[in-house]
Structure formats: structure tokens, C-alpha cells
């Protein structure tokens, strides 16, 4: 469990129900406060059975255990914005808002993220069709992932409704109208074991400090550790966000921060080598995590949320579609090797 002085709050959704009770309004207010002040939190009482979470992690581990040549039969397309398919170790480097081509090229020479990934999304997405592994290689992969996405979408609906309940001026079902889910993304991540000295020296890294660029993210993580979140009170200082059994990590993305006229906080976070345990020896433990990224429907135009602007607090940003914003951010965030 996090220490008592952890800056990352816990919010219990077990009494949220259908969102009409006084308990639901209280949870909404707690969620809004955490998203405004911290941008990161743990969700407990979310309603997803632990057996289902264990099952998706089991499928992820089976996928990454396949031979490289097999995984490469479902490759990530060459376009950075087409986040589907498999990316091998050392293929990708996450950056934070780098738009200059020369700077991106310079980054490529400094070593990529020591991880591999497999991305998928809705079968209804026309711009980003899924790149599935053939069923003969890993039976049940497709159905298991699609079922888990449906589960995550239901949680997204609940949490965004809670946020609307808690935000002054935002109608109760406001976010639901913008989030059908067909532009969401589920990602399997695997950080292999490696000698600790290569991380201590900076020779290798896991994921550098960055913000997510969509509406919000739900993160499922194993018991390895390594996630760190920038302190809301001390910029530049990162606090551990250790795994908590039964809890899901939730954070606000840049798109929702912009949509809220910067009222909600999209917080820097990173993944480092996990803290050493007595039996680790000279090697780090491997880490598995599964983020579910939520985005507004691509063609919907968003402007500052109701209640986030006034005569004395003008709008900071021009209207923009989700597609325009997400494409811009993806091209500036992922340096492909």
C-alpha cells in the first residue's frame, strides 16, 4: 500500500450505483477534486472481478511469450498515429510534446524505451483497424481482448458520469454523448528483465516522463512496481504509485485538461526500474501493465466545458476535433525507430 503521506488519493466507487444517489454525488465531488488537484488517483470498488483482470494479464503474458517472429505477424503499422499491432523492444520512445523533426531524430540516437507492446481497439474503428494475431498462434486472444474492452467501457461510462456530477456546471450525461468508445485503445505492455546497472547508468530506460493525450486512462498493473507520478506540490519530484491489489490507477489526459480550460490536471508520470527486492540479485524484475486509453469520438468538436470559463476567466483554446488533437499528439509523442 502507498504510504500514509502519499499524494495519490483513493476513491471508492462501491456505492456509486446508477449515479442517482447522494452517495454518487459525493463520489463525484471527490473525483472532481482529485482530478483538479492531482490528476491521478486509485479507484477501488470499481466492480471488475479480479478473475477477469487476472485473465487479461494471463493473455498478455502468453502473447509476449510467443516467438518474436510470431508476434511480428501482427506488426504495428508504420504510421505513429495508427496505434494497433505489435511493437518490439527498442522500437518506440515516448517523448513529451516534441514536434520538431530534428529533435525527434536526435532522440532516436539516445536509446529507445526498453519495452514491447501490443495495441488494439474497437472493431468499429475505420481509421485504425485492429491488427490481430492469427487465432492459431494464440486461441482466444481476440475475443478475450474485445470482452475486456467492453468491461472497461462500462467503467469509463461510470467514471465520466461521476466526474460530470462533481464538476460545477457540467450536465450529468455530458461526457457520455462524446464517448462512444470506438476510438479507445487497449495496450499490452511488457518490460523485460535486465541488469539493474543498465537502468542506473541511463543506458536503458522504461518510459520517460510524459502525459497521456486523450480524455483519461485506466491502468491495470502487476505487483512489480516502477510507476511514478510528479508531485502536485513539488514539480520535478516524482512519487511512487505502487501497485495496490484490487485497485485501478486512473489519470486525466491532456485532451480533457484542454477541454476543461485547464481546470483538470494532466500529470506527468514515468516508469522506472522497479524498486529492488532482497531476492532480485543484479537483475530487475519484468513488469506487465495494461492501460485502457479513452478518447472522445474523432469528429466531435470540443470547446471549453460549461462552468470552466466566464468574463473574468476566458477560454484559453480554440475549438478542435478529437481527431485533430490526438493525431497531433501521437506524432509528437512516439518516436519510432
Amino acid at each position: 500500500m502507498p504510504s500514509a503521506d502519499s499524494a495519490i488519493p483513493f476513491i471508492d466507487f462501491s456505492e456509486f450505483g446508477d449515479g442517482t444517489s447522494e452517495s454518487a454525488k459525493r463520489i463525484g465531488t471527490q473525483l472532481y477534486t482529485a482530478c483538479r488537484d492531482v490528476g491521478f488517483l486509485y479507484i477501488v470498488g470499481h466492480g471488475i472481478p479480479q478473475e477477469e483482470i487476472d485473465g487479461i494479464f494471463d493473455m498478455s503474458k502468453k502473447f509476449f511469450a510467443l516467438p518474436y517472429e510470431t508476434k511480428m505477424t501482427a506488426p504495428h503499422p508504420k504510421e505513429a498515429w495508427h496505434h494497433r499491432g505489435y511493437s518490439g523492444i527498442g522500437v518506440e520512445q515516448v517523448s513529451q510534446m516534441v514536434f520538431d523533426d530534428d529533435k525527434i531524430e536526435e532522440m532516436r540516437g539516445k536509446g529507445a524505451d526498453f519495452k514491447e507492446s501490443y495495441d488494439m481497439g474497437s472493431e468499429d474503428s475505420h481509421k485504425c483497424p485492429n491488427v490481430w494475431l492469427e487465432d492459431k498462434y494464440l486461441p482466444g486472444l481476440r475475443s478475450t481482448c474485445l470482452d475486456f474492452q467492453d468491461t472497461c467501457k462500462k467503467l469509463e461510462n461510470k467514471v465520466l458520469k461521476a466526474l460530470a456530477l462533481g464538476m460545477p456546471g457540467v450536465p450529468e450525461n455530458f461526457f457520455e454523448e462524446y464517448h462512444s468508445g470506438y476510438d479507445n485503445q487497449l495496450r499490452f505492455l511488457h518490460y523485460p528483465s535486465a541488469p539493474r546497472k543498465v537502468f542506473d547508468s541511463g543506458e536503458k530506460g522504461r518510459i520517460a516522463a510524459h502525459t497521456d493525450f486523450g480524455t483519461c486512462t485506466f491502468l491495470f498493473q502487476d505487483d512489480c512496481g516502477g510507476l511514478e507520478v510528479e508531485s502536485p506540490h513539488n514539480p520535478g519530484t516524482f512519487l511512487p504509485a505502487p501497485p495496490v491489489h484490487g485497485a485501478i490507477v486512473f489519470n486525466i489526459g491532456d485532451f480533457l485538461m484542454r477541454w476543461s480550460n485547464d481546470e483538470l490536471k494532466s500529470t506527468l508520470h514515468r516508469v522506472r526500474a522497479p524498486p529492488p527486492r532482497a531476492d532480485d540479485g543484479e537483475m530487475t524484475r519484468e513488469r506487465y501493465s495494461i492501460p485502457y486509453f479513452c478518447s472522445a469520438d474523432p469528429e466531435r468538436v470540443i470547446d471549453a466545458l460549461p462552468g470552466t470559463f466566464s468574463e473574468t476567466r476566458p477560454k484559453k483554446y480554440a475549438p478542435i476535433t478529437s481527431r485533430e488533437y490526438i493525431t497531433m499528439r501521437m506524432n509528437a509523442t512516439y518516436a519510432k525507430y
Side-chain angles (χ1 to χ4, degrees):
M1 291 286 290
S3 61
D5 60 351
S6 172
I8 305 173
F10 279 73
I11 296 184
D12 187 350
F13 268 76
S14 58
E15 296 183 2
F16 187 79
D18 62 1
T20 60
S21 67
E22 287 301 316
S23 293
K25 294 178 182 178
R26 172 179 51 78
I27 292 168
T29 300
Q30 292 173 349
L31 177 65
Y32 163 64
T33 302
C35 292
R36 182 195 63 197
D37 297 346
V38 183
F40 259 82
L41 56 114
Y42 291 94
I43 294 178
V44 295
H46 44 72
I48 300 180
Q50 188 61 45
E51 294 78 9
E52 187 172 1
I53 296 173
D54 293 342
I56 196 70
F57 271 101
D58 182 61
M59 186 60 72
S60 171
K61 291 176 182 179
K62 288 178 179 177
F63 176 86
F64 290 120
L66 292 169
Y68 174 77
E69 294 75 17
T70 300
K71 290 180 284 191
M72 281 302 295
T73 64
H76 189 299
K78 64 179 181 179
E79 298 87 1
W81 51 262
H82 191 160
H83 251 340
R84 301 291 186 266
Y86 174 71
S87 297
I89 298 170
V91 170
E92 182 180 276
Q93 184 175 15
V94 173
S95 62
Q96 177 63 13
M97 298 291 281
V98 178
F99 297 94
D100 184 82
D101 289 340
D102 291 336
K103 290 184 178 179
I104 291 175
E105 192 62 36
E106 180 183 347
M107 287 169 50
R108 289 192 174 106
K110 294 183 177 179
D113 298 338
F114 193 65
K115 69 178 191 305
E116 56 183 335
S117 61
Y118 181 61
D119 297 293
M120 66 221 84
S122 170
E123 295 280 66
D124 297 328
S125 176
H126 301 297
K127 185 180 182 183
C128 290
N130 283 313
V131 182
W132 292 111
L133 200 68
E134 290 186 55
D135 200 54
K136 65 181 181 181
Y137 295 124
L138 185 54
L141 173 67
R142 184 174 187 164
S143 60
T144 299
C145 292
L146 292 176
D147 286 348
F148 192 71
Q149 288 184 71
D150 288 343
T151 295
C152 290
K153 182 67 183 76
K154 292 174 184 175
L155 179 60
E156 175 197 359
N157 292 344
K158 181 191 294 187
V159 172
L160 289 182
K161 183 173 185 176
L163 183 59
L165 286 172
M167 285 194 73
V170 177
E172 177 179 329
N173 296 314
F174 183 89
F175 292 115
E176 183 178 348
E177 298 173 6
Y178 286 82
H179 294 83
S180 70
Y182 74 85
D183 211 39
N184 291 356
Q185 173 195 342
L186 185 71
R187 166 169 260 212
F188 286 173
L189 280 166
H190 176 223
Y191 305 82
S193 176
R196 183 166 294 278
K197 64 182 181 181
V198 301
F199 296 109
D200 293 341
S201 68
E203 179 184 341
K204 294 185 183 298
R206 287 200 158 170
I207 298 184
H210 66 285
T211 52
D212 294 345
F213 41 76
T215 298
C216 59
T217 304
F218 296 87
L219 177 70
F220 304 83
Q221 52 179 339
D222 66 8
D223 63 354
C224 179
L227 176 65
E228 297 181 346
V229 176
E230 186 176 46
S231 168
H233 310 296
N234 298 294
T237 299
F238 284 80
L239 306 171
V244 177
H245 186 72
I248 300 170
V249 177
F250 174 83
N251 65 278
I252 296 297
D254 293 341
F255 185 76
L256 185 49
M257 181 172 172
R258 173 183 175 132
W259 200 353
S260 70
N261 208 28
D262 288 350
E263 185 169 311
L264 304 180
K265 184 176 179 59
S266 179
T267 303
L268 280 169
H269 52 286
R270 66 189 184 187
V271 178
R272 308 295 294 273
R277 295 177 183 170
D279 57 350
D280 281 351
E282 297 180 357
M283 301 292 289
T284 61
R285 281 162 283 128
E286 61 182 347
R287 178 180 189 261
Y288 294 88
S289 66
I290 303 175
Y292 179 69
F293 300 105
C294 304
S295 297
D297 295 342
E299 304 307 329
R300 296 297 303 267
V301 177
I302 65 100
D303 201 354
L305 290 171
T308 65
F309 61 93
S310 64
E311 290 185 3
T312 57
R313 187 188 176 194
K315 297 178 182 180
K316 296 182 179 181
Y317 307 103
I320 192 171
T321 67
S322 175
R323 185 186 302 282
E324 291 169 336
Y325 185 80
I326 298 300
T327 300
M328 173 186 69
R329 281 300 319 272
M330 278 191 172
N331 288 333
T333 300
Y334 291 95
K336 290 286 182 181
Y337 282 65

